[in-house]
Amino acid sequence: LKEAHFYWLTRNPDELLFGRKVFAKVVSHPLVRDKVFLHLHLTRQEPKNNAPAFLFREAIRRQSLVDRSIFMQEVGQKKTASVLVGPQVPWNWVNRTSEDVLWLSHLLPIDDEGEETEVLQKYDGKWAQGLLRPDATSSTWYWKEKLSSHHWMMPVIFGRPDFATEVQAIGKARPTEDVNIYVCGNDHIVKLLQNICVVCNSHAEKSAKSKGGKPQRYLMHHERFG
């Protein structure tokens, strides 16, 4: 496994609680935490004529503007492949999309005390306090180690993924590797990703002709349960 991006789209944030133990295993296991990246998307719109819901959503929009600005300043113009990410990174911002993000605690329960301490050392903190530091010997960015809190945060993204932008960004990060997309979703998502693969394959073929070499392939696989 070179790299895997797992997208979970839900209208109900409570559904994410069912994945807490899986999330914890992903971010704490040394063999997968730098290869498997989680994208948690809340797709439900706030109800109309609901003042508390409007204020909550507006607060997230405004805070996200601040957080994203700080994040982009830290990462700068570095390519996706040169960023070392952890569970708190908003991958949509890494891929240059602009959906709002809210960091939530209690989505990463870990029973083993040693593992909990290790993850806390690596991933604690918030974007507004600065999470990344450049490595002096390479172009890679590493997480700052901070022990000021007993909670770590998991980003939940508001809105549907910008798959067209993110799939291309993931492919460009590994131009010599084919991109396999596995979908368990409705017909709309399947059709959307099929069309994106067609466009990405067309661009890859044109690039291969101009530069020479084998074109990168974007392969679509889908299955539905229930």
Side-chain angles (χ1 to χ4, degrees):
L1 177 67
K2 297 293 183 65
E3 183 174 308
H5 293 262
F6 177 77
Y7 288 81
W8 185 339
L9 280 63
T10 179
R11 291 176 54 82
N12 186 350
D14 291 343
E15 292 183 2
L16 299 177
L17 296 176
F18 290 104
R20 295 170 75 225
K21 291 186 177 180
V22 176
F23 302 157
K25 290 180 180 179
V26 169
V27 304
S28 62
H29 198 291
L31 297 180
V32 299
R33 63 185 171 208
D34 293 333
K35 294 183 178 181
V36 178
F37 308 122
L38 304 173
H39 306 243
L40 308 181
H41 283 259
L42 180 60
T43 61
R44 185 177 182 177
Q45 297 289 331
E46 65 269 22
K48 296 182 179 180
N49 302 320
N50 186 315
F54 169 79
L55 292 174
F56 174 74
R57 188 67 181 86
E58 185 63 20
I60 293 173
R61 288 191 186 96
R62 297 189 181 194
Q63 185 61 51
S64 288
L65 288 174
V66 176
D67 292 341
R68 186 172 185 273
S69 176
I70 294 173
F71 174 82
M72 299 307 292
Q73 289 175 19
E74 290 286 345
V75 177
Q77 299 300 317
K78 292 185 178 295
K79 297 179 179 179
T80 302
S82 68
V83 178
L84 177 63
V85 299
Q88 294 191 139
V89 75
W91 253 100
N92 59 318
W93 292 352
V94 173
N95 292 333
R96 301 301 192 260
T97 67
S98 58
E99 297 94 347
D100 298 330
V101 178
L102 175 66
W103 279 264
L104 298 178
S105 59
H106 307 300
L107 282 182
L108 296 174
I110 292 181
D111 298 327
D112 184 84
E113 184 176 350
E115 288 186 357
E116 179 175 334
T117 301
E118 180 181 359
V119 175
L120 278 171
Q121 290 176 338
K122 289 183 177 297
Y123 303 131
D124 193 22
K126 298 180 180 179
W127 283 116
Q129 298 172 333
L131 281 176
L132 297 172
R133 63 176 176 83
D135 180 20
T137 61
S138 71
S139 60
T140 303
W141 289 76
Y142 288 92
W143 291 88
K144 291 180 178 178
E145 291 188 0
K146 302 183 64 177
L147 299 174
S148 59
S149 171
H150 296 293
H151 300 285
W152 5 288
M153 316 291 277
M154 193 79 177
V156 174
I157 305 164
F158 283 71
R160 293 182 176 276
D162 182 353
F163 280 123
T165 299
E166 296 209 36
V167 169
Q168 290 186 67
I170 292 170
K172 288 181 179 179
R174 295 186 179 274
T176 61
E177 303 288 341
D178 291 338
V179 178
N180 287 274
I181 300 174
Y182 299 88
V183 182
C184 178
N186 58 39
D187 292 337
H188 173 75
I189 294 178
V190 170
K191 185 63 175 178
L192 172 64
L193 286 166
Q194 285 175 335
N195 291 336
I196 290 172
C197 286
V198 170
V199 173
C200 289
N201 281 323
S202 177
H203 290 167
E205 289 174 3
K206 291 179 181 178
S207 177
K209 287 181 180 179
S210 63
K211 298 179 181 179
K214 181 181 177 182
Q216 185 181 40
R217 296 185 302 165
Y218 292 77
L219 307 174
M220 171 76 178
H221 317 266
H222 66 91
E223 187 172 356
R224 187 174 300 150
F225 303 94

